[in-house]
Each structure stands twice: as C-alpha cells, then as structure tokens.
Amino acid sequence: MGKVGMKLIESGLRHDGRKLDELRPISMSVGVLKNANGSALVEYGRTKVIAAVYGPREPQTRYMLLPNRAVIRCRYHMASFSTHDRKSPTLSRREIELSKVVREALEPVVLSELYPRTSIDIFIEVINADGGTRTASVTAASLALADAGIPMKDLVAGVAVGKVDGFLVLDVDELEDMYGEADMPVAMAPSLRQITLLQLNGVLTPDEFTQAFELAKKGIEAIYSVERETLKKKYLDVKVED
Amino acid sequence: MEASIHVQNRELVTPGQILGSGKLTISTPTTVYSVGGKYYSAVVGLADVEGEKIGVIPLEGFYYPKVGDLVIGVVTSVGTNSWEIDIKAPYHAVLYASDFLNRPLNPARESLSDYLDIGDVIVAKVENVGRGRVTTLTVKGKGFGKVSKGSLVEIDSAKIPRVIGKKGSMLQLLMNESKCEITVAQNGRILVNNCPNKDSEEVVIMAIKKIEKEAHIPGLTDRIKDFIIKEKVRRGMFSG
C-alpha cells in the first residue's frame, strides 16, 4: 500500500501495466551530436538522457592532470525543463553527488592509463526525468565513450530495482520511487561480472536484497545486449551507394 | 590451456566482447586487453584474426602521436623560438625555429610570425614523443614544411589505413585516376595538391569521404574505382 492510499500494484501488474520484472521500453542511439567525439541518447520509458564525450584532450588546467593516467571528468545535469516544476539550472548538491557517482561507475572500465596527462570529459544532460536517471546516465555515458573510440574493458549498463507495495520490481519509475519502500540502483560491467555502482535507499531484508540483485542482473543483461546492438547498428546501417 | 578464438576475421566487435582464450598473441595492444587468460575487445571495431594472432581494428578513434609519423599540423600559437602546432592529438606539438629555419634564430632581429603565422598549415614528421609527452616535430627532408596551396581534407584518423590501402594500393588508385598529388598524414588530415583541374580535385575529395564512410564494408577498392569512373563520366572528364 502506497503512502497516499493509492495502489501501485494490482493483480500482479504495475500502475503502467508492466509486469513486476519487466523493463520500460528502451531505445538507444549513438553519434547523435556532431561536435562531440562521442555521444549517445538513451531512453528508459519517459526518462531521456543525452551524453557527450570529449577527449582525450589537454586538460583545461594543468594542476588537474595526472602523470600516470587520464583524468575523467563527469558532469551530470538536469535540464530546467526536465522535471514537473522548473529546476534551477545551477548544479544542485544532488547533481554534484550524482556526477561523482556516475564517474565512479565508469572509471573502473576505462583504460585511462593508456593516455597519461590528458582529460576525458563526459557531459550528461537529463532531458526528461521519470525515475532511474542515474542508471540511464551511466548507460548513456558508457555508450558515448565507446562511440568516441576510447578503449574500455567493457560497456556498463545500469538499472534500478525497487520495492513497491511489498513486491520487488524492476526498473522503477518516478511514481514507484516516490511511493515505494526501497530503491536500489545497480550498474554492472556484465562481461567482467563486476559491479560498478550499488546504492540502496529504503529498507530491504538480506533475502530481499539477494532477490533484488538477481532481478537487477537480469535487467542489466537485457540492457547490455541493446547497447551492443546499438553500437553495431551504426555500422551495419551504412549502405553502399552506387 | 588450449588456445581458442571465438570470433571470425573481420567480425564487428564491441567493448567487452570476448575474442579468445589461451595462448594468443595480441597484434593491437591498445584495442585488446587480456585478463585471466581471456582476451577481450576494448573498442568498437573489426576483429583481425591471423592464426594465433588476434587484434581489433578500431572503427572509431583519435590520433595518438608516434615517433616517425607523418602529420599535417595547423599553427595555433607563435612563441619566441618555437611554434605550437595542432596535430589533432590529445597534446599539442612543438616545432622549434632552429629546425624550421635550419640555422640559429636571432630573436632580437626577426619575428617568427614572418615565417609561419597562426592558421598556417605544415607537413611535418613527429620527432619525439617525450616522457612528459612533449611532442616535437621536424620539417627536415623533402616534401616537408609550409603548405601554400591545395585542399585539406579532415577524416577520422582511424580510417587513414583504408585511404592508404594494402601496400598503398588505394592511394595509388586515387593518384593515378586524378593525377593529383596526395599527402596522407597519420593524424587524419589529407592534402590534395597540384591537380590538373578543379573537377579532379573534387572527385578525389568525394572519394576520400566515401572511403571514410564505407571503410568497414569489404570490397572497398573496387567500389572506389567504380565511383571515380562514374563521377568522371558524369563530369565529362574523358573527352579532353
């Protein structure tokens, strides 16, 4: 039972008609921005995120360069029109924190030691927010890095699992996040079987955590295969002109 | 452990895709990495399998300077005894005045901007990629130095090997068909110079752009040959 007395799950279906373990419709494309070295647009249902990658390039200031590897900079920003009420365009505390979280979700896979004394800049813009923006951001940024040709150990895919009305659900949206009991974003590098992001808001029992994690893994596998198809599609779609 | 390869030659691979396991040699160290006796691709590219050797030819990328590379640079800043050159790499390159002038420079008497100014284009060779990653260039030798005419084409540096082709076959084709002088630099810039007429220059540029777009589809040389002939017929270039 949600806090406002509204039922979010009825006869096994969620408020938007999805099954408990069903992802929102996912669409992705790469190379959407001309000026960036790499870019990607990712949609999880109504959540829409664009990511742009620049570099490796000379760092803006000399003090931030690292002698042994490339420094990765990341900015997560929500457009002022992305939410119901206008969001101030200045970076909020939450956005600064998420920039760090997304950066740390990507740093383990980027082979940054190949390019010392450079910086790789990732800009993430949330166009429309409907829950799961941080996991969509990680997915978009990892696609944009691959599109920029930056060597990386694996692609990263993210998805959030939640507990709503006592049920574990995959890919929570804004409504479920607001009125649910728990929300757990997870990001993984599936080929390496490594977790790069794991957060938990709310309460889950140890058993529920294990189940929720298995659910997240299932979702991530599905998102990962869409990521790979998207990167290949860019080249398979090129038609030979006569 | 027995060596095994899980991909076909010229298969499209993505980062994290397993290429093989066991005792294999890596032919492209920056685009393949190994962990726990398994080999994974690090980029989007085409698998390059040759016996026990495995590699990935990247389809997307940027230029990273290597000693001895031919590069085409643009002057971005003029100092007192050196120029700063943009070579489309993560680091800018430096060209020393003594190297360019082939004699010591007297900074009190002459200004470097008299020789090369901001925006000027040079053909140079990477002389040194230093420990601190200070890249220096040299223009000593035939064909190097300031560029005064011609067209400059910029493409993705990952596609430069396709413009040159196997043993230079593609470049030879472009030059024979157009009678232009073509300088292909490793950093993704191509200089088209001394063309007999405007049309042949345009055809070469169009052909280069086509190579960039279709680099990953087999049968490139034949397609480019057909394209140039068709384009020449369309422009009526066979009459004279």
Side-chain angles (χ1 to χ4, degrees):
Chain A
M1 203 56 175
K3 277 175 197 158
V4 286
M6 176 185 149
K7 254 183 122 73
L8 284 169
I9 294 179
E10 234 166 332
S11 56
L13 287 181
R14 290 148 79 177
H15 72 98
D16 54 359
R18 274 188 290 160
K19 291 192 212 99
L20 298 179
D21 62 347
E22 196 177 331
L23 291 165
R24 287 176 279 182
I26 285 171
S27 76
M28 300 178 192
S29 48
V30 291
V32 290
L33 303 175
K34 194 176 172 291
N35 287 347
N37 297 115
S39 57
L41 175 69
V42 169
E43 288 172 59
Y44 285 10
R46 281 186 300 235
T47 293
K48 195 168 184 174
V49 175
I50 202 160
V53 167
Y54 295 80
R57 61 182 178 183
E58 271 182 77
Q60 240 80 42
T61 48
R62 288 193 73 77
Y63 74 82
M64 65 184 198
L65 61 77
L66 298 172
N68 58 339
R69 66 174 183 93
V71 58
I72 299 173
R73 299 196 304 161
C74 180
R75 190 187 85 140
Y76 166 98
H77 180 246
M78 289 174 96
S80 50
F81 51 82
S82 64
T83 46
H84 289 291
D85 297 320
R86 179 181 180 274
K87 192 213 144 275
S88 159
T90 52
L91 278 189
S92 64
R93 194 218 91 245
R94 179 180 170 275
E95 284 168 304
I96 295 167
E97 181 189 320
L98 283 185
S99 301
K100 174 182 177 287
V101 165
V102 172
R103 191 190 77 225
E104 288 178 351
L106 296 164
E107 266 176 341
V109 296
V110 179
L111 294 168
S112 52
E113 61 279 4
L114 289 175
Y115 307 105
R117 300 168 65 87
T118 60
S119 87
I120 296 170
D121 301 339
I122 306 167
F123 297 94
I124 297 160
E125 202 70 26
V126 177
I127 308 293
N128 196 54
D130 186 32
T133 58
R134 77 190 68 187
T135 48
S137 298
V138 171
T139 308
S142 119
L143 273 181
L145 282 167
D147 185 43
I150 294 170
M152 54 207 285
K153 290 181 186 169
D154 197 359
L155 296 167
V156 183
V159 78
V161 203
K163 187 180 168 192
V164 178
D165 287 356
F167 294 98
L168 291 174
V169 294
L170 182 63
D171 195 12
V172 290
D173 65 15
E174 194 175 357
L175 204 66
E176 290 171 329
D177 185 20
M178 268 163 78
Y179 299 111
E181 292 103 80
D183 166 36
M184 183 172 88
V186 185
M188 283 178 72
S191 293
L192 299 174
R193 304 172 57 78
Q194 281 179 353
I195 302 160
T196 64
L197 164 72
L198 181 61
Q199 295 182 306
L200 173 59
N201 255 323
V203 182
L204 289 180
T205 64
D207 269 354
E208 281 173 338
F209 171 81
T210 322
Q211 280 177 40
F213 187 70
E214 287 304 317
L215 199 58
K217 249 162 89 175
K218 208 183 119 200
I220 285 169
E221 287 294 341
I223 294 167
Y224 183 62
S225 64
V226 180
E227 280 187 309
R228 291 185 46 186
E229 286 314 307
T230 309
L231 286 171
K232 286 183 180 176
K233 199 167 169 280
K234 184 179 173 187
Y235 294 98
L236 298 176
D237 276 2
V238 175
K239 291 277 178 298
V240 175
E241 287 168 36
D242 278 322
Chain B
M1 197 158 69
E2 198 57 27
S4 64
I5 291 172
H6 303 316
V7 286
Q8 255 130 39
N9 197 21
R10 297 195 66 78
E11 185 180 328
L12 192 54
V13 294
T14 55
Q17 185 167 343
I18 189 155
L19 302 172
S21 55
K23 256 194 150 7
L24 296 169
T25 2
I26 300 174
S27 54
T28 54
T30 56
T31 57
V32 178
Y33 79 99
S34 71
V35 58
K38 286 180 176 157
Y39 298 84
Y40 299 90
S41 170
V43 292
V44 183
L46 297 174
D48 180 28
V49 183
E50 216 186 309
E52 303 269 277
K53 275 208 296 200
I54 197 152
V56 175
I57 304 158
L59 284 172
E60 214 64 68
F62 45 88
Y63 176 64
Y64 199 75
K66 223 168 58 246
V67 173
D69 275 358
L70 179 97
V71 293
I72 296 177
V74 179
V75 179
T76 52
S77 141
V78 184
T80 44
N81 51 25
S82 66
W83 290 275
E84 223 169 70
I85 316 283
D86 164 44
I87 53 166
K88 288 219 305 179
Y91 324 95
H92 68 254
V94 173
L95 174 67
Y96 290 108
S98 51
D99 184 281
F100 183 77
L101 300 171
N102 220 354
R103 63 174 164 82
L105 174 92
N106 183 354
R109 281 185 155 190
E110 48 196 344
S111 160
L112 279 191
S113 53
D114 298 342
Y115 303 103
L116 284 177
D117 210 349
I118 292 172
D120 283 350
V121 175
I122 58 158
V123 177
K125 207 161 81 179
V126 178
E127 188 182 42
N128 181 33
V129 181
R131 202 159 25 142
R133 301 286 169 183
V134 183
T135 310
T136 54
L137 301 179
T138 175
V139 290
K140 281 177 187 148
K142 193 170 172 277
F144 295 112
K146 186 175 171 178
V147 175
S148 48
K149 61 183 167 64
S151 291
L152 193 61
V153 189
E154 266 191 25
I155 65 166
D156 192 335
S157 66
K159 270 120 189 180
I160 286 294
R162 298 291 94 75
V163 178
I164 296 169
K166 278 198 190 98
K167 291 184 182 133
S169 58
M170 183 68 87
L171 186 59
Q172 211 57 50
L173 170 78
L174 290 175
M175 295 218 271
N176 286 346
E177 289 293 331
S178 67
K179 309 278 182 267
C180 295
E181 265 175 41
I182 304 172
T183 312
V184 182
Q186 290 303 319
N187 63 338
R189 291 192 174 123
I190 299 164
L191 182 70
V192 183
N193 211 345
N194 289 337
C195 286
N197 53 52
K198 191 88 195 134
D199 270 338
S200 55
E201 187 173 317
E202 280 170 17
V203 171
V204 173
I205 294 170
M206 283 165 77
I208 292 170
K209 290 283 177 197
K210 190 175 163 77
I211 295 171
E212 186 191 15
K213 213 170 119 203
E214 299 173 9
H216 59 291
I217 305 172
L220 189 62
T221 315
D222 291 339
R223 269 204 315 283
I224 295 299
K225 196 169 186 172
D226 289 350
F227 171 78
I228 292 175
I229 291 169
K230 259 184 201 155
E231 198 58 34
K232 273 170 135 179
V233 170
R234 200 176 68 78
R235 286 162 187 262
M237 283 165 67
F238 281 118
S239 54

